[in-house]
Amino acid sequence: MAHSGITTIGVLALQGDFREHVAALNAIGARSALVRRPNDLDAVDALIVPGGESTAMWKLATTAEMFEPVRKRIADGMPAFGTCAGMIMLADRITDAAAGQETFGGLPITVRRNAFGRQTESFEEPISFDGIGELTGVFIRAPWVEDVDGGVEVLARVTSGPAIGRIVAVRQGNLLATSFHPELTADRRVHEYFVAMVTARDAA
Protein backbone atom coordinates (compact mmCIF):
# COMPACT_ATOMS: atom_id res chain seq x y z
CA MET A 1 0.00 0.00 0.00
CA ALA A 2 1.19 3.53 -0.77
CA HIS A 3 2.51 5.48 2.20
CA SER A 4 3.37 8.83 0.63
CA GLY A 5 0.46 10.61 2.27
CA ILE A 6 -1.02 11.26 -1.20
CA THR A 7 -3.81 8.92 -2.26
CA THR A 8 -2.95 7.00 -5.43
CA ILE A 9 -5.68 5.31 -7.45
CA GLY A 10 -4.40 2.36 -9.45
CA VAL A 11 -5.98 1.26 -12.71
CA LEU A 12 -5.60 -2.41 -13.63
CA ALA A 13 -3.93 -2.21 -17.03
CA LEU A 14 -3.93 -5.80 -18.29
CA GLN A 15 -6.81 -5.49 -20.75
CA GLY A 16 -9.71 -3.18 -21.56
CA ASP A 17 -10.23 0.57 -21.49
CA PHE A 18 -7.81 1.42 -18.68
CA ARG A 19 -6.50 4.52 -20.49
CA GLU A 20 -9.95 6.13 -20.36
CA HIS A 21 -10.07 5.64 -16.58
CA VAL A 22 -6.64 7.24 -16.20
CA ALA A 23 -7.84 10.20 -18.29
CA ALA A 24 -10.94 10.55 -16.09
CA LEU A 25 -8.85 10.49 -12.91
CA ASN A 26 -6.41 13.02 -14.36
CA ALA A 27 -9.32 15.27 -15.32
CA ILE A 28 -10.45 15.52 -11.67
CA GLY A 29 -6.94 16.00 -10.32
CA ALA A 30 -6.59 12.54 -8.78
CA ARG A 31 -3.23 10.82 -8.69
CA SER A 32 -3.30 7.65 -10.81
CA ALA A 33 -0.97 4.78 -11.65
CA LEU A 34 -1.13 1.85 -14.05
CA VAL A 35 -1.11 -1.54 -12.34
CA ARG A 36 0.37 -4.43 -14.32
CA ARG A 37 2.55 -6.27 -11.79
CA PRO A 38 2.32 -7.11 -8.08
CA ASN A 39 4.80 -4.39 -7.11
CA ASP A 40 2.60 -1.84 -8.94
CA LEU A 41 -0.29 -2.97 -6.75
CA ASP A 42 1.77 -2.46 -3.61
CA ALA A 43 2.16 1.22 -4.51
CA VAL A 44 -1.54 2.13 -4.75
CA ASP A 45 -4.28 2.81 -2.20
CA ALA A 46 -7.23 1.74 -4.36
CA LEU A 47 -7.89 0.02 -7.67
CA ILE A 48 -10.15 0.53 -10.67
CA VAL A 49 -10.93 -2.62 -12.66
CA PRO A 50 -11.88 -1.38 -16.14
CA GLY A 51 -14.30 -2.50 -18.78
CA GLY A 52 -13.07 -5.04 -21.29
CA GLU A 53 -13.58 -8.80 -21.48
CA SER A 54 -13.88 -10.51 -18.12
CA THR A 55 -12.59 -13.93 -19.21
CA ALA A 56 -9.53 -12.38 -20.89
CA MET A 57 -8.93 -10.22 -17.81
CA TRP A 58 -9.11 -13.25 -15.52
CA LYS A 59 -6.66 -15.24 -17.70
CA LEU A 60 -4.23 -12.33 -18.10
CA ALA A 61 -4.31 -11.59 -14.37
CA THR A 62 -3.50 -15.23 -13.67
CA THR A 63 -0.65 -15.28 -16.22
CA ALA A 64 0.80 -12.03 -14.82
CA GLU A 65 0.63 -13.45 -11.27
CA MET A 66 -1.76 -10.62 -10.41
CA PHE A 67 -4.91 -12.60 -9.69
CA GLU A 68 -4.22 -13.67 -6.12
CA PRO A 69 -2.55 -10.39 -5.06
CA VAL A 70 -5.55 -8.37 -6.27
CA ARG A 71 -8.02 -10.78 -4.68
CA LYS A 72 -6.15 -10.59 -1.37
CA ARG A 73 -5.90 -6.78 -1.35
CA ILE A 74 -9.65 -6.53 -1.99
CA ALA A 75 -10.39 -9.09 0.72
CA ASP A 76 -8.17 -7.07 3.08
CA GLY A 77 -10.26 -3.95 2.47
CA MET A 78 -8.64 -2.07 -0.41
CA PRO A 79 -11.24 0.16 -2.13
CA ALA A 80 -12.04 -0.98 -5.65
CA PHE A 81 -14.29 0.23 -8.46
CA GLY A 82 -15.28 -2.04 -11.35
CA THR A 83 -16.99 -0.97 -14.57
CA CYS A 84 -18.75 -3.48 -16.88
CA ALA A 85 -16.23 -6.37 -17.02
CA GLY A 86 -14.80 -4.88 -13.83
CA MET A 87 -18.19 -5.35 -12.16
CA ILE A 88 -18.06 -9.03 -13.14
CA MET A 89 -14.53 -9.31 -11.72
CA LEU A 90 -15.66 -7.87 -8.36
CA ALA A 91 -18.76 -10.08 -8.11
CA ASP A 92 -18.76 -13.20 -5.95
CA ARG A 93 -21.08 -15.05 -8.33
CA ILE A 94 -21.54 -15.12 -12.13
CA THR A 95 -24.47 -16.42 -14.16
CA ASP A 96 -23.41 -17.70 -17.61
CA ALA A 97 -19.74 -17.76 -16.61
CA ALA A 98 -17.13 -19.13 -18.97
CA ALA A 99 -15.82 -22.58 -18.07
CA GLY A 100 -13.70 -22.31 -14.94
CA GLN A 101 -14.00 -18.53 -14.80
CA GLU A 102 -12.91 -16.97 -11.53
CA THR A 103 -13.30 -13.45 -10.16
CA PHE A 104 -11.49 -11.28 -7.64
CA GLY A 105 -14.75 -11.22 -5.69
CA GLY A 106 -15.61 -9.08 -2.72
CA LEU A 107 -19.10 -7.96 -3.70
CA PRO A 108 -21.78 -10.45 -2.56
CA ILE A 109 -23.80 -10.11 -5.75
CA THR A 110 -24.74 -12.30 -8.72
CA VAL A 111 -24.08 -10.80 -12.14
CA ARG A 112 -25.16 -12.02 -15.57
CA ARG A 113 -22.53 -11.66 -18.30
CA ASN A 114 -23.55 -9.90 -21.55
CA ALA A 115 -27.04 -9.49 -20.09
CA PHE A 116 -27.96 -6.62 -22.42
CA GLY A 117 -26.95 -8.50 -25.56
CA ARG A 118 -24.18 -8.32 -28.14
CA GLN A 119 -21.89 -5.39 -28.86
CA THR A 120 -24.15 -4.37 -31.76
CA GLU A 121 -26.90 -3.87 -29.17
CA SER A 122 -24.89 -1.36 -27.16
CA PHE A 123 -26.84 1.70 -26.09
CA GLU A 124 -26.90 4.82 -23.93
CA GLU A 125 -29.60 5.59 -21.40
CA PRO A 126 -30.22 8.19 -18.69
CA ILE A 127 -29.55 6.68 -15.26
CA SER A 128 -30.54 8.06 -11.87
CA PHE A 129 -27.58 7.36 -9.59
CA ASP A 130 -28.17 7.71 -5.83
CA GLY A 131 -25.91 10.37 -4.40
CA ILE A 132 -25.06 11.82 -7.82
CA GLY A 133 -28.26 12.42 -9.78
CA GLU A 134 -29.01 11.78 -13.43
CA LEU A 135 -26.19 10.76 -15.75
CA THR A 136 -25.76 8.99 -19.08
CA GLY A 137 -25.10 5.28 -18.82
CA VAL A 138 -23.07 3.81 -21.71
CA PHE A 139 -23.79 0.06 -21.94
CA ILE A 140 -21.51 -2.14 -24.12
CA ARG A 141 -22.12 -5.91 -23.86
CA ALA A 142 -22.91 -5.04 -20.28
CA PRO A 143 -23.75 -7.26 -17.34
CA TRP A 144 -26.55 -6.59 -14.92
CA VAL A 145 -26.92 -7.59 -11.29
CA GLU A 146 -29.31 -10.51 -10.85
CA ASP A 147 -29.44 -10.30 -7.07
CA VAL A 148 -27.65 -8.80 -4.07
CA ASP A 149 -27.04 -10.04 -0.56
CA GLY A 150 -28.01 -8.00 2.49
CA GLY A 151 -25.79 -5.00 3.07
CA VAL A 152 -25.31 -4.23 -0.63
CA GLU A 153 -26.58 -0.77 -1.55
CA VAL A 154 -28.32 -0.52 -4.93
CA LEU A 155 -27.32 2.83 -6.46
CA ALA A 156 -28.96 2.67 -9.90
CA ARG A 157 -31.47 0.65 -11.94
CA VAL A 158 -32.56 0.71 -15.58
CA THR A 159 -35.54 3.07 -15.80
CA SER A 160 -37.09 2.11 -19.16
CA GLY A 161 -37.23 -0.51 -21.90
CA PRO A 162 -37.31 -4.31 -21.63
CA ALA A 163 -34.66 -4.37 -18.89
CA ILE A 164 -36.52 -1.89 -16.66
CA GLY A 165 -35.74 -2.39 -12.99
CA ARG A 166 -32.48 -4.24 -13.56
CA ILE A 167 -29.70 -3.23 -11.15
CA VAL A 168 -26.75 -1.49 -12.84
CA ALA A 169 -24.79 0.09 -9.95
CA VAL A 170 -24.04 -1.19 -6.46
CA ARG A 171 -21.85 -0.42 -3.49
CA GLN A 172 -20.85 -2.26 -0.36
CA GLY A 173 -18.33 -0.65 1.95
CA ASN A 174 -15.17 0.09 -0.02
CA LEU A 175 -16.38 -1.60 -3.21
CA LEU A 176 -18.26 0.12 -6.05
CA ALA A 177 -19.40 -1.38 -9.36
CA THR A 178 -21.34 -0.20 -12.40
CA SER A 179 -22.64 -2.11 -15.44
CA PHE A 180 -22.05 0.97 -17.55
CA HIS A 181 -18.93 2.92 -18.55
CA PRO A 182 -18.66 6.33 -16.86
CA GLU A 183 -15.11 6.58 -18.22
CA LEU A 184 -16.51 6.84 -21.78
CA THR A 185 -18.33 10.12 -21.14
CA ALA A 186 -17.11 13.58 -20.14
CA ASP A 187 -19.10 13.36 -16.89
CA ARG A 188 -16.61 12.66 -14.11
CA ARG A 189 -19.03 12.46 -11.18
CA VAL A 190 -18.83 8.69 -10.71
CA HIS A 191 -15.03 8.87 -10.55
CA GLU A 192 -15.35 11.74 -8.09
CA TYR A 193 -17.72 9.58 -6.04
CA PHE A 194 -15.15 6.77 -5.93
CA VAL A 195 -12.25 9.08 -5.07
CA ALA A 196 -14.38 10.51 -2.24
CA MET A 197 -14.95 6.94 -1.00
CA VAL A 198 -11.21 6.31 -0.97
CA THR A 199 -10.25 9.57 0.72
CA ALA A 200 -12.97 9.12 3.36
CA ARG A 201 -11.56 5.68 4.14
CA ASP A 202 -7.99 7.02 4.31
CA ALA A 203 -9.13 9.78 6.67
CA ALA A 204 -10.97 7.38 8.99
Side-chain angles (χ1 to χ4, degrees):
M1 179 175 176
H3 295 289
S4 64
I6 302 172
T7 298
T8 302
I9 311 292
V11 181
L12 189 64
L14 299 176
Q15 192 265 345
D17 64 344
F18 54 88
R19 295 178 187 84
E20 288 80 357
H21 279 288
V22 169
L25 292 168
N26 292 344
I28 61 174
R31 181 174 178 175
S32 64
L34 295 176
V35 173
R36 292 192 172 98
R37 296 175 297 276
N39 62 326
D40 297 333
L41 185 65
D42 293 340
V44 302
D45 302 287
L47 185 68
I48 293 177
V49 184
E53 212 294 308
S54 61
T55 54
M57 204 174 294
W58 154 54
K59 291 174 182 176
L60 287 167
T62 302
T63 301
E65 299 183 341
M66 284 294 294
F67 187 83
E68 287 301 331
V70 171
R71 181 149 68 176
K72 185 176 188 305
R73 280 292 303 275
I74 290 171
D76 289 345
M78 176 184 64
F81 170 29
T83 60
C84 197
M87 169 184 266
I88 296 169
M89 292 301 297
L90 293 183
D92 285 345
R93 303 177 297 270
I94 312 173
T95 300
D96 292 343
Q101 183 172 2
E102 295 184 76
T103 67
F104 300 134
L107 276 171
I109 61 175
T110 303
V111 297
R112 180 176 292 276
R113 294 170 68 235
N114 302 334
F116 289 97
R118 301 175 185 275
Q119 189 139 351
T120 53
E121 298 169 284
S122 301
F123 65 99
E124 297 184 9
E125 177 172 311
I127 296 293
S128 179
F129 193 110
D130 285 0
I132 293 178
E134 187 168 290
L135 49 79
T136 299
V138 178
F139 294 86
I140 304 172
R141 291 180 61 208
W144 64 43
V145 179
E146 294 266 279
D147 62 68
V148 302
D149 290 3
V152 176
E153 183 181 1
V154 175
L155 297 174
R157 295 177 183 267
V158 176
T159 56
S160 64
I164 188 168
R166 291 293 185 180
I167 299 168
V168 292
V170 294
R171 175 185 178 182
Q172 184 184 56
N174 294 319
L175 302 181
L176 175 69
T178 64
S179 300
F180 52 91
H181 291 268
E183 72 279 10
L184 297 183
T185 75
D187 187 336
R188 305 306 185 197
R189 288 176 294 165
V190 179
H191 287 83
E192 290 171 345
Y193 182 99
F194 179 60
V195 170
M197 282 173 51
V198 177
T199 53
R201 173 187 180 271
D202 289 348

